[in-house]
Amino acid sequence: MSSSSWDLVVLTTRPGDLDEPVAASISGIRPSIIAITSQVDGDRDIAVSMFPESEILVFSPALLSERTTGRNARYWQPPGMPVFMASGRRETVRGLRRGLGGGLIVAVPAALLSAPPAVFIPYVAELSVREGSWTALRTHLRRPTQASAEAVHAVTGVRIPMSARGAGLVLDALELFVPIDVGEYAGRHFARHEGQTLDMLNGWAGQMARRAARRDSQRNPKRNAAPALAELAPALGELAQALRLRVTR
């Protein structure tokens, strides 16, 4: 990077995974804002500790993208959608929105930013467990659907009914309307991020456990033990274990 002033740097790599020279270069240019695209539990805190002179935002991409050859990339953005949903200090996000033309980002609360990954990442995890086979995922939707409901409850506190049949209809719509081979893309793209997927599953399970512990301490102040994680999020735990065997083998 040059020594010139930068207003915004967007990290597409988890902050803790940055090479030391790259992290040092970013620190050296002291960007006013650093946006991270990782939503793994704890990654924002890592970014804050690494870049204390920059304001940290969280961006959630609302597009499909991947590198093809060299520096070339292809992407698809749903019509009418912003490229990023952003969470952070309201004044900062508003300023970015004005400066970038208004249609590139939209400000959302942190809980709303976390909800979309909580919905779809369990299906990504199941896809990885099924060796990237879209066909196998289509025939094994019950576990990721239950895990998705558990993850959404972990980040929002709201129990939303979900069904494997509904998930199948969503996958049908993706195959119909997205102008790329979704199954081939998903199997290849998310295979490169299995460790991050596992960390997200574990993060939601941890949030579920902390939420249950707080609730239990309020209801039963003299009780020390919270419900076991297997009782709170059985599908998340099972899916995380299946993916962990693949990541660590």
Side-chain angles (χ1 to χ4, degrees):
M1 291 185 179
S2 70
S3 59
S4 59
S5 175
W6 288 61
D7 295 322
L8 170 67
V9 171
V10 180
L11 302 183
T12 57
T13 300
R14 294 178 64 182
D17 290 345
L18 288 172
D19 293 336
E20 188 172 329
V22 174
S25 296
I26 295 173
S27 295
I29 61 174
R30 294 181 176 85
S32 301
I33 303 166
I34 294 177
I36 66 169
T37 55
S38 170
Q39 295 184 57
V40 175
D41 192 26
D43 272 7
R44 186 184 183 281
D45 293 335
I46 292 174
V48 169
S49 67
M50 290 176 64
F51 308 109
E53 297 186 31
S54 301
E55 185 171 356
I56 307 299
L57 303 183
V58 181
F59 277 11
S60 179
L63 75 163
L64 302 180
S65 67
E66 68 172 348
R67 181 173 296 177
T68 53
T69 57
R71 295 186 176 182
N72 296 322
R74 64 174 180 171
Y75 73 95
W76 176 77
Q77 174 189 356
M81 288 287 291
V83 177
F84 294 105
M85 294 183 290
S87 175
R89 197 164 61 93
R90 182 177 301 177
E91 294 78 6
T92 302
V93 177
R94 284 178 176 174
L96 274 181
R97 182 174 171 81
R98 289 193 301 268
L100 296 173
L104 187 63
I105 65 173
V106 61
V108 297
L112 185 57
L113 191 76
S114 301
V119 171
F120 76 83
I121 286 295
Y123 295 96
V124 169
E126 190 71 47
L127 180 65
S128 291
V129 170
R130 303 292 168 183
E131 306 287 340
S133 170
W134 187 260
T135 301
L137 171 65
R138 294 298 306 265
T139 57
H140 294 84
L141 290 175
R142 185 178 300 277
R143 178 169 65 180
T145 298
Q146 183 181 347
S148 177
E150 293 168 1
V152 170
H153 180 232
V155 300
T156 67
V158 178
R159 296 188 183 276
I160 299 177
M162 299 182 182
S163 71
R165 175 177 171 78
L169 293 175
V170 171
L171 297 184
D172 287 342
L174 289 174
E175 292 178 358
L176 182 62
F177 294 111
V178 176
I180 62 175
D181 187 330
V182 177
E184 191 269 340
Y185 166 86
R188 183 180 64 254
H189 177 77
F190 291 110
R192 298 196 294 268
H193 304 283
E194 290 176 346
Q196 181 170 332
T197 299
L198 177 59
D199 287 345
M200 295 184 81
L201 296 180
N202 288 332
W204 291 320
Q207 289 181 49
M208 181 78 82
R210 291 191 293 273
R211 183 186 296 278
R214 288 194 300 268
R215 183 176 62 246
D216 196 64
S217 65
Q218 291 170 355
R219 294 176 178 175
N220 305 286
K222 296 182 180 180
R223 181 180 176 184
N224 295 323
L229 187 58
E231 301 174 19
L232 298 169
L236 267 177
E238 180 183 334
L239 188 53
Q241 178 60 21
L243 184 57
R244 185 178 298 109
L245 292 174
R246 176 176 174 82
V247 170
T248 59
R249 70 184 180 185

